[in-house]
Amino acid sequence: METANWSHFAFILMGLFSQSKHPTLLCVVIFVIFLMALSGNAILILLIHSDAHLHTPMYFFISQLSLMDVMYISITVPKMLMDQVMGVNKISVPECGIQMFLYLMLVGSEFFILAAMAYDRYVAICHPLRYSVLMNHRVCLLLASGSWFLGSVDGFMFTVITMSFPFCRSREIHHFFCEVPAILKLSCSDTSLVETLLYLCCVFMLLVPVIIISSSYTFIFLTIHRMRSAEGQKKAIATCSSHMTVVVVFYGAAIYTYMLPSSYHTPEKDMVVSFFYTILTPVLNPLVYSLRNKDVMGALKKMLNMGPNFQVTVK
């Protein structure tokens, strides 16, 4: 079969709905989850930027995480829902490339922002007297911009490499968006070198943040263990447990998708795992960081009590 011409070539996204016995119900459920993710993260960002008590490094990083969640659920779910409603399941090569780049950029950025959040908790708990110096505004901006930059490099590199392959097999992508492993399966060239490069890059993208996170929490737990105040121990554990919950869910799914050998993968498993961390995680994050956080809940109650006179002030 000849290589397809990009001028008229389009992929076919098989998606979640083709696997469901009740696609309409699934479509409604995903739409509700999407609205919950958007509203939950938007409210969290609004509270953090409007309440002076939340103008701290920890909440700055949480707002960055929420922004990433809003963006990466928005580049996959609306397209999927519109295709189901309109009965169209095609995506052009340029659209696929853009979606792939944005998704890889945001996932990569989230790896590093989670590491920055762990480092922030380490400094706050292990070096409280130097916290304002070690985690000043400039350092926070540097860590956040560095996370976005590394994610962008990862996204650009793998999008260019993946989309440069000739596609001459089936156009059907057994996924609900353009993810690298699913696209590589459609190439008629040998992709083993790229798959090895993808694996090594993911080792770096995961290993560096994991080392930072595990080291930070090792020192944190040692410090908590030495605390004489039961109230201090309880507060420190509560703060760290929320972050650890998000880390375990997000990193676990990423390790399965990008680091396990292909023999462990099936299209169905890949879609379920991607559904979990692409669609469900953005809903879980604001719940984890708000319902278990007295400061955020206090800011929300204050906003609701102020009613229509509430005004946003960005600091």
Side-chain angles (χ1 to χ4, degrees), residues 27-311:
C27 185
V28 172
V29 170
I30 292 175
F31 180 65
V32 171
I33 293 173
F34 175 67
L35 292 181
M36 289 173 61
L38 286 187
S39 58
N41 284 289
I43 290 172
L44 193 55
I45 294 171
L46 175 66
L47 290 174
I48 290 170
H49 283 276
S50 62
D51 194 298
H53 293 96
L54 302 181
H55 292 173
T56 65
M58 182 178 79
Y59 294 109
F60 169 73
F61 290 127
I62 290 176
S63 69
Q64 292 292 303
L65 182 67
S66 289
L67 177 61
M68 292 173 185
D69 284 344
V70 167
M71 290 178 67
Y72 87 71
I73 196 174
S74 298
I75 62 175
T76 55
V77 172
K79 164 70 177 169
M80 178 173 63
L81 295 178
M82 286 297 295
D83 286 354
Q84 175 64 17
V85 171
M86 300 181 68
V88 178
N89 60 350
K90 291 184 178 181
I91 183 169
S92 68
V93 171
E95 289 173 334
C96 187
I98 292 170
Q99 187 183 62
M100 183 184 297
F101 166 73
L102 292 174
Y103 183 80
L104 288 171
M105 177 191 73
L106 292 163
V107 171
S109 299
E110 191 154 330
F111 288 157
F112 288 100
I113 208 71
L114 289 171
M117 292 169 71
Y119 175 72
D120 170 68
R121 291 300 82 208
Y122 158 73
V123 176
I125 294 171
C126 300
H127 303 283
L129 299 179
R130 301 175 60 197
Y131 181 69
S132 59
V133 176
L134 295 175
M135 293 301 296
N136 58 47
H137 185 65
R138 182 180 178 183
V139 171
C140 292
L141 288 178
L142 184 64
L143 290 173
S145 58
S147 299
W148 285 97
F149 174 75
L150 290 171
S152 299
V153 171
D154 180 60
F156 179 78
M157 180 175 67
F158 278 105
T159 300
V160 170
I161 292 174
T162 302
M163 301 308 290
S164 65
F165 278 103
F167 302 108
C168 53
R169 295 179 183 172
S170 170
R171 296 183 299 158
E172 295 180 353
I173 302 174
H174 292 276
H175 215 305
F176 58 91
F177 68 100
C178 290
E179 195 167 31
V180 173
I183 298 294
L184 288 177
K185 292 177 181 177
L186 305 183
S187 176
C188 52
S189 300
D190 181 13
T191 61
S192 57
L193 181 60
V194 176
E195 290 172 1
T196 302
L197 180 62
L198 177 64
Y199 175 81
L200 293 175
C201 183
C202 289
V203 168
F204 170 77
M205 295 289 288
L206 288 168
L207 190 60
V208 173
V210 164
I211 289 173
I212 295 171
I213 292 169
S214 58
S215 300
S216 298
Y217 278 104
T218 298
F219 288 115
I220 286 171
F221 290 133
L222 289 173
T223 303
I224 291 174
H225 181 70
R226 291 195 295 264
M227 284 182 179
R228 295 183 179 181
S229 168
E231 184 64 27
Q233 287 183 335
K234 185 178 179 181
K235 185 176 180 181
I237 292 172
T239 302
C240 295
S241 62
S242 298
H243 183 248
M244 285 302 296
T245 301
V246 174
V247 166
V248 169
V249 171
F250 191 77
Y251 276 72
I255 288 171
Y256 168 84
T257 302
Y258 293 103
M259 295 185 68
L260 287 184
S262 57
S263 58
Y264 287 86
H265 292 258
T266 65
E268 292 75 20
K269 285 182 181 179
D270 289 350
M271 278 195 284
V272 169
V273 173
S274 294
F275 175 83
F276 189 78
Y277 75 89
T278 302
I279 299 175
L280 292 185
T281 302
V283 179
L284 294 176
N285 285 353
L287 294 177
V288 168
Y289 286 116
S290 60
L291 295 180
R292 302 181 64 183
N293 190 301
K294 292 181 180 179
D295 293 334
V296 174
M297 292 305 293
L300 179 60
K301 289 176 182 178
K302 187 165 71 173
M303 183 185 76
L304 295 175
N305 289 336
M306 293 179 75
N309 295 322
F310 177 76
Q311 292 182 344

